[in-house]
Amino acid sequence: MDITEKVGYCLDRSGAEVFSIGQSVCGEDILCAHCGSRLGKQIIVTAAIHARECYTALVVLRQISEFARRGRGKGGAYFIPLVNPDGARFFESGYCGGSGTLERFSDRCREWKANADGVDLNCNFDAHFGSGAQNVREVAPHGYIGEYPLCAPESRALADFTERVMPSATVSYHCMGGELYWEFFQKGERRRRDKKFADSIAKKIGVKRVDGDLDSAGGYKDHCVLNLGIPAVTVELIKRGKHPFAPSDFDEDIERNKDLPGFILDLLYGEK
C-alpha cells in the first residue's frame, strides 16, 4: 500500500467527515478530513505538499485518530494529509500518471518535491511570489515557482479552501531540520502574537523556533500570514538525516505531534 492508498484507507475508517478540496494535475482527489465541531474556531493542518516529504502525512493521520478519540467541546480541525498526491506516487514508485514532465525526470524521482507539472507548490502561493532566494524559473525537481501565482491546481485548491474556511491558524508539516518557521513580515502586535503562538508550539513538540523572514517566499504559511493575517507555522520534522526518508523515520515525530491540534485549539481559546 503506497502513501496515497494509505491516506485514503485511513480516512475512510477514521469516522471523520471526509471530502475533496480539489484535484491534482493527474486528477487525484486532495482529501480533507474534518474533526470536531464546525462551530467556533477552526484550524487547518496540512502535510506532504512536497513529494519527497510525503510521509509527513503519517503524522496527520495519527492526529486525526487522536483527535477523534479524545473529542473536543469547542472548535474543530481540518486535516489535509497529502496535498501533492501525484508527486508522492512519483517519489515512491516512479509512477508518472501520464505526465510528460515526470517522464522526463524519471531518473530523479527520489529527489522530487514538485507536482506533476514540475511546479514546487510551496513556492506557488501569492505571497511575494518569485522573490525567494532559491526560486527558479524553469521546471525542476524543486524550486520552480510556476508561470504565475496559484497556477498549480493543488496550491490553488488549498488557497481557495483556506479562504473559504478562514481558519484561526494553520500548521504545515515538512521535513527536515527539527525547526519551526513562523515569520513573514508581520509587524507590531501581530508579530508579537504570532511569535508567542510559534514559541508555544515549538516547545510543545520539541523543535527550534527560527526567527526571520529567511529570504523565502510563495509558501502556504506565507500566504496565510500575509493575506489572511493569521498565525501560521511550518514545522520541519526529523532533526537530522538525509533524504529520502522512510516511514519509520517519522515514528518519534508522530508521537510528539499526535495531540498538537487540540493543544493549538486550547491556545486559541486561551486555555493554555
Side-chain angles (χ1 to χ4, degrees), residues 14-85:
S14 67
E17 177 190 357
V18 179
F19 54 94
S20 172
I21 68 164
Q23 293 187 318
S24 69
V25 171
C26 296
E28 292 278 351
D29 282 321
I30 303 168
L31 296 176
C32 178
H34 183 266
C35 298
S37 173
R38 290 272 192 166
L39 302 176
K41 297 180 185 295
Q42 306 292 314
I43 64 172
I44 293 177
V45 182
T46 72
I49 199 168
H50 284 148
R52 73 181 187 187
E53 301 168 18
C54 60
Y55 300 131
T56 56
L58 300 173
V59 175
V60 179
L61 293 177
R62 176 62 183 277
Q63 289 177 338
I64 294 169
S65 63
E66 191 73 14
F67 200 105
R69 184 181 70 81
R70 293 191 177 198
R72 277 200 61 83
K74 293 186 292 187
Y78 293 91
F79 298 94
I80 307 171
L82 194 62
V83 178
N84 185 4

Side-chain angles (χ1 to χ4, degrees), residues 138-155:
E138 59 184 20
V139 172
H142 53 84
Y144 173 48
I145 60 175
E147 293 185 9
Y148 52 86
L150 303 178
C151 66
E154 299 91 347
S155 54

